[in-house]
Amino acid sequence: MKMTPRAVVIGSLLILAAVVFVVIYIPYVTRTQTASAIFRRRTPTEAAGRKLYIANGCVYCHSQSVRSIDWGLGAERIAQAGDYVGDQPILLGSQRTGPDLSQEGGAHPNDWHRAHFVNPRTTRPNSIMPAFEFIGPENIKHLTAYVQSLGMKNAGRRMQRQKHWKAKAVEAYEAGPDANAHWLAENIPFGWRKIANPYPSTVAGLARGHKIYQDFCLGCHGPVGDGMGPGQPDLYPPPLNFTILKNRGISGGILYYQIMNGITGTAMPYFKRELESEKIWDVSNYVAVYFINQSDANHAPRGIDTAYEP
Amino acid sequence: MTTPDENSSPGYATARAFCITSACWMVIGAFVGLLGATELIAPDIAKNIGWLVFGRIRPIHINVVLFGFVTPGLLAAAFYYFPRLLRCELFSEKLGVFTVWVWNLTLVAAVISLAGGHTQGREYAELIWPIDVMVVAAFGLVFFNMVMTVRRRTEPLLYVSIWYGLAATILTAAVYALGNVIWRPDSGALAGMADAVILWFYGHSIFNLLLTPLAAGIAYYVIPRVVLSPLYSHRLAMLGFWSLMLVAPQIGTSHLLQVPLPTWLKVIAIADSIAMAIPVMAFLINIWYTAKGRLGEIHADIGAKFVFTGTIMYFFASLQGAVMALPQVQRVTHFNNWVVGHAHIGVLGFAGMIALGGMYYILPRITGKQLYSRLLADFQYWMVLIGVVGFTVVLTIAGMTQGNAWLNGHAVYRVLPMVHVYYIVRAALGLMLFTSAIVGLYNILRTLLSNPGGTP
Ligand code: HEM
Ligand code: HEM
């Protein structure tokens, strides 16, 4: 074959055209255009938030597609082609420097997002996400609206739950410490409330609790547990001041249950995916010993027998 | 070294201008990369300075290194070897220099718009429509100059490098317009999964139809000349060229193996990722056999040294790429720093190294004088080599840590402290690369503008 300029240029263009026909055009004309069951259109505010999401490069750190092998946030809902029919451009992302966001909507209430966008280190002490305070409060609202819409109809259901419980949490908080402590406890299944922390209070256990507290809780509940962490100004109801729990019927089981599941309607997140069982017992005992000053660790009735004791 | 006849060189104004362009943007690109890397360690370092936020720095980094440093560096050498191989003068140096101005203007516009948050949000296709048009126009101008030079050639046979130069520029102009959905100025995107397909078709085509052919063109030019031996096989060169044209545009969907797309499309991408072995090995065997037994000559010429090292990096980038396209492997490697490692070994280790090699090879030949400093060039060589190998090692470890931790059910937040230390090492290596870019800029500017050095 003789490599004339014509052969090179026309030949390579023809090959490209053929390849484009097969790998671009055919998939395009046969693409899924039916929306999936959870699909819904975005409101104007959410669309404005999406523009901010694009302009500020959230896509470089956050994916929006849950894979069948994922365990993280939203793993209950594996991505379907029909989820994306309204996305132009599509924002699948190529890096997970931060967690997947495709089912983020309703995982937290709005005030959590506000605090997190102003500075992620407040709600998440080890975060490496940039602070977005510079986009201004109005834009933070739009961005939050967009993030809360991710997951579409599923997110809508979660948001309704957040709204429902937010009203109750605010009401309880405003009714004073007694009422608040009572409200917090009354939503916990009875059995849990009676369980004491099964592990003994040890120096090592408290040191572990301290480390976990610093990595996960400090930004809200504050270094001394009074609820005055740097996230406090943006959160309502504000992070719990642990000292109010003293002599108000607190138990290891209550602390464990709350840390594991979070408190829907408040900024208090769930930690069931991030902290294994012993870590939750350790941090709750740390809170009990240092901040509430009242620990039931290793007292009767012990809910669980522990195989290893020092 | 050069023959006397080569010293009576014409001005090569376009090649010179592309050299300076590349060297300057390498400094900027490396700096921006370093800034991004620093923000991943100390996220509040540029707190609330909107245009320095990581999400804007990151697209500036990739656009600047791809279109500011690597591509102009590769084009500099092309504007040197086109006239030489075709035994005629360049069609128009004036047009060439004009193209370089357009090019730089485009880059400045790109940086400013991205910093201001004006982006279409599609990786590698961020630039807004007016700038997209400028990019396509710039590639069009380069292609036009090349084709017109080909038409006035006095050498009837077209050498391999010419094929690659022509194909790279015209295909990139086409693929760029297609991938940026240029017929939709407002969004620059299709809707739904189809958008991802066209995006990654374009994305990997930038690496495989722009950087790879231009870099291969330089290797095919420089290596035989430096070792003073004819190319090992023209037949193999032809196989390498046509198989690249056929296979390379088909592997884009290998970025999308884990999302809901038709299986047949993924199968094509995986099969062709493995079939990339044909163009890759045809090219590498050709170059390596040409150089066989003559590594001393390569070592003696700093340009060839960069180029040859680049070919080795190409081997590793491609091997890595083929492995990453296997679904089982991608379960671990996708979404994490392993891919960033692959990106740097490919774009910096392979294409960037060859761009630098091309420039260091042509500089003495277009100025008729020795390089300002061979020592500084060697320094840059070692810094880039250590930097890119270091990146690959560190980012691969970080990526495997992330990937395996996620597979094991750990939340992303829990894994952040596990990769922190690798981010620090990456930034330290980035500082080396940044320093070497400054040294390179100084060396190139001195060579071109105020060179006391004797004739080579
Ligand atoms: C020739 C064989 C190659 C194959 C089969 C291949 C395959 C791949 C695959 C599968 C990915 C996506 C990984 C993921 O997201 O999980 C990828 C990413 C990438 N590749 Fe390659 N690659 C090859 C060569 C190259 C070369 C030579 C370069 C550079 C010139 C390169 C540059 C890149 C870059 C920059 C990315 C990152 C894209 C992003 O931002 O996500 N690749 N490659
Ligand atoms: C000068 C030559 C360089 C080239 C050609 C280059 C190329 C690239 C490319 C193609 C990407 C996209 C990777 C992906 O999406 O997977 C990237 C990302 C990146 N590069 Fe570079 N780079 C260079 C230098 C540097 C330097 C000196 C640093 C400093 C440490 C650096 C730090 C980064 C960072 C932090 C990212 C973002 C990774 C992420 O999203 O997590 N780069 N670079």
Side-chain angles (χ1 to χ4, degrees):
Chain A
M1 176 183 183
K2 191 151 182 283
M3 296 293 273
T4 62
R6 203 176 293 259
V8 170
V9 173
I10 311 250
S12 55
L13 278 173
L14 281 178
I15 296 179
L16 184 72
V19 172
V20 167
F21 180 79
V22 177
V23 302
I24 308 289
Y25 184 72
I26 295 183
Y28 181 74
V29 291
T30 59
R31 72 193 182 279
T32 315
Q33 276 169 302
T34 33
S36 60
I38 65 166
F39 182 82
R40 72 160 172 83
R41 298 259 156 221
R42 275 184 278 277
T43 67
T45 323
E46 290 161 5
R50 191 170 200 265
K51 288 220 169 73
L52 291 161
Y53 188 93
I54 291 174
N56 290 292
C58 313
V59 68
Y60 300 107
C61 289
H62 291 289
S63 62
Q64 284 192 19
S65 90
V66 176
R67 315 170 287 178
S68 54
I69 52 170
D70 281 331
W71 297 56
L73 193 64
E76 291 79 3
R77 178 64 173 59
I78 312 296
Q80 297 176 9
D83 300 350
Y84 300 102
V85 294
D87 287 4
Q88 185 182 3
I90 193 167
L91 299 171
L92 293 176
S94 65
Q95 284 284 311
R96 272 191 193 164
T97 308
D100 184 272
L101 294 182
S102 58
Q103 293 292 324
E104 174 69 11
H108 305 281
N110 288 342
D111 58 338
W112 186 92
H113 285 291
R114 194 178 339 126
H116 186 250
F117 284 135
V118 166
N119 189 345
R121 256 75 52 212
T122 58
T123 59
R124 302 291 255 163
N126 285 341
S127 179
I128 57 169
M129 172 162 149
F132 286 97
E133 196 178 2
F134 70 89
I135 65 173
E138 204 47 35
N139 281 336
I140 287 184
K141 270 192 199 136
H142 294 165
L143 200 53
T144 304
Y146 171 60
V147 168
Q148 297 289 35
S149 79
L150 292 170
M152 296 178 278
K153 285 182 186 160
N154 286 351
R157 270 193 291 280
R158 289 191 290 265
M159 279 311 285
Q160 248 159 11
R161 228 175 32 233
Q162 292 283 6
K163 283 207 188 80
H164 172 78
W165 287 106
K166 169 71 88 193
K168 304 209 175 230
V170 168
E171 193 190 309
Y173 170 72
E174 289 176 349
D178 256 333
N180 200 18
H182 181 75
W183 176 77
L184 285 165
E186 90 188 358
N187 291 308
I188 299 173
F190 185 75
W192 279 95
R193 289 188 237 161
K194 297 285 134 207
I195 296 175
N197 188 328
Y199 295 90
S201 263
T202 63
V203 175
L206 288 170
R208 284 195 298 268
H210 177 64
K211 165 86 175 121
I212 297 161
Y213 187 81
Q214 286 189 319
D215 288 352
F216 292 87
C217 327
L218 181 107
C220 289
H221 291 287
V224 292
D226 57 357
M228 295 305 278
Q232 186 267 348
D234 286 302
L235 301 175
Y236 199 78
L240 197 68
N241 174 356
F242 290 127
T243 53
I244 68 153
L245 294 179
K246 188 159 184 174
N247 298 329
R248 289 198 164 106
I250 197 73
S251 72
I254 292 181
L255 295 173
Y256 186 98
Y257 187 90
Q258 299 288 54
I259 298 167
M260 173 168 73
N261 294 315
I263 304 170
T264 310
T266 79
M268 175 66 193
Y270 59 82
F271 291 96
K272 60 188 170 195
R273 288 213 174 91
E274 290 172 1
L275 297 175
E276 297 89 337
S277 178
E278 193 201 18
K279 290 189 170 130
I280 300 184
W281 287 122
D282 280 337
V283 72
S284 54
N285 196 39
Y286 172 81
V287 167
V289 168
Y290 285 107
F291 303 144
I292 308 177
N293 201 9
Q294 191 176 61
S295 169
D296 58 3
N298 212 23
H299 289 192
R302 290 175 23 170
I304 308 170
D305 283 324
T306 54
Y308 174 80
E309 282 168 19
Chain B
M1 282 283 129
T2 47
T3 57
D5 142 75
E6 280 190 14
N7 277 333
S8 60
S9 53
Y12 292 112
T14 314
R16 286 166 195 258
F18 266 127
C19 282
I20 296 178
T21 302
S22 171
C24 287
W25 288 104
M26 184 183 180
V27 173
I28 299 170
F31 176 74
V32 174
L34 180 57
L35 184 60
T38 312
E39 289 179 1
L40 291 180
I41 305 165
D44 284 334
I45 197 159
K47 195 176 172 200
N48 287 329
I49 308 177
W51 46 281
L52 289 184
V53 72
F54 181 86
R56 300 195 191 167
I57 282 295
R58 151 104 204 222
I60 294 178
H61 174 62
I62 57 158
N63 279 284
V64 164
V65 294
L66 278 175
F67 297 115
F69 156 49
V70 180
T71 309
L74 296 170
L75 284 176
F79 273 95
Y80 170 81
Y81 71 61
F82 260 72
R84 299 214 72 85
L85 285 170
L86 299 166
R87 290 182 201 281
C88 66
E89 289 200 357
L90 188 70
F91 165 68
S92 167
E93 291 287 356
K94 263 211 189 93
L95 179 66
V97 174
F98 174 72
T99 312
V100 179
W101 280 110
V102 174
W103 201 285
N104 280 290
L105 194 68
T106 311
L107 286 165
V108 172
V111 171
I112 293 175
S113 60
L114 290 174
H118 302 286
T119 164
Q120 293 181 332
R122 300 161 82 241
E123 214 178 335
Y124 300 95
E126 288 96 352
L127 304 181
I128 48 176
W129 187 75
I131 308 182
D132 282 345
V133 174
M134 286 167 80
V135 173
V136 176
F139 276 104
L141 288 177
V142 172
F143 177 70
F144 179 69
N145 219 340
M146 285 179 170
V147 161
M148 294 308 282
T149 311
V150 168
R151 288 188 66 174
R152 48 157 54 189
R153 71 191 187 278
T154 58
E155 164 65 54
L157 281 180
L158 291 191
Y159 181 66
V160 197
S161 302
I162 304 287
W163 318 339
Y164 276 119
L166 289 175
T169 43
I170 187 65
L171 293 185
T172 303
V175 163
Y176 190 93
L178 204 60
N180 283 274
V181 193
I182 210 158
W183 59 95
R184 285 199 183 154
D186 51 335
S187 67
L190 302 175
M193 290 305 300
D195 190 45
V197 173
I198 199 165
L199 176 66
W200 286 111
F201 154 77
Y202 153 77
H204 228 100
S205 291
I206 286 291
F207 319 135
N208 278 330
L209 293 182
L210 172 66
L211 303 186
T212 300
L214 285 180
I218 293 176
Y220 273 117
Y221 182 80
V222 169
I223 299 298
R225 264 162 196 74
V226 168
V227 301
L228 299 173
S229 123
L231 187 62
Y232 173 67
S233 160
H234 271 268
R235 224 170 258 278
L236 207 52
M238 208 127 84
L239 173 71
F241 177 80
W242 289 115
S243 57
L244 184 73
M245 293 301 124
L246 181 65
V247 176
Q250 304 190 33
I251 68 176
T253 317
S254 59
H255 290 246
L256 300 170
L257 298 181
Q258 301 173 344
V259 297
L261 276 176
T263 306
W264 65 266
L265 201 56
K266 297 181 185 174
V267 171
I268 289 186
I270 297 167
D272 280 281
S273 295
I274 293 158
M276 275 298 285
I278 299 167
V280 171
M281 288 325 290
F283 161 60
L284 288 178
I285 288 171
N286 217 350
I287 296 294
W288 290 347
Y289 268 68
T290 307
K292 200 173 161 202
R294 296 189 175 83
L295 291 182
E297 274 92 334
I298 289 189
H299 198 72
D301 185 295
I302 179 68
K305 193 161 133 183
F306 266 111
V307 172
F308 196 80
T309 311
T311 62
I312 297 169
M313 296 286 179
Y314 186 48
F315 177 79
F316 285 108
S318 304
L319 187 68
Q320 209 185 9
V323 171
M324 285 152 70
L326 304 174
Q328 289 293 337
V329 178
Q330 208 176 89
R331 287 182 183 195
V332 181
T333 63
H334 192 54
F335 279 144
N336 58 47
N337 279 297
W338 171 302
V339 182
V340 183
H342 169 71
H344 284 93
I345 202 174
V347 181
L348 175 57
F350 158 57
M353 275 267 194
I354 293 190
L356 288 168
M359 290 193 279
Y360 283 123
Y361 176 83
I362 65 168
L363 279 169
R365 291 166 176 86
I366 60 182
T367 57
K369 291 186 190 158
Q370 278 170 346
L371 268 187
Y372 168 70
S373 165
R374 160 85 198 220
L375 181 73
L376 290 184
D378 260 321
F379 173 78
Q380 189 180 17
Y381 172 84
W382 283 107
M383 288 296 108
V384 174
L385 185 61
I386 296 169
V388 76
V389 172
F391 266 24
T392 312
V393 171
V394 160
L395 293 171
T396 303
I397 297 174
M400 294 212 291
T401 307
Q402 292 172 291
N404 283 314
W406 298 341
L407 274 186
N408 204 24
H410 288 299
V412 169
Y413 182 71
R414 276 277 297 271
V415 185
L416 293 177
M418 300 184 199
V419 292
H420 183 69
V421 61
Y422 305 111
Y423 279 153
I424 295 177
V425 179
R426 191 253 303 265
L429 291 162
L431 185 62
M432 277 171 46
L433 280 164
F434 171 58
T435 317
S436 85
I438 295 179
V439 168
L441 173 65
Y442 177 71
N443 203 3
I444 287 173
L445 285 181
R446 285 301 295 258
T447 303
L448 280 171
L449 302 179
S450 65
N451 189 355
T455 49

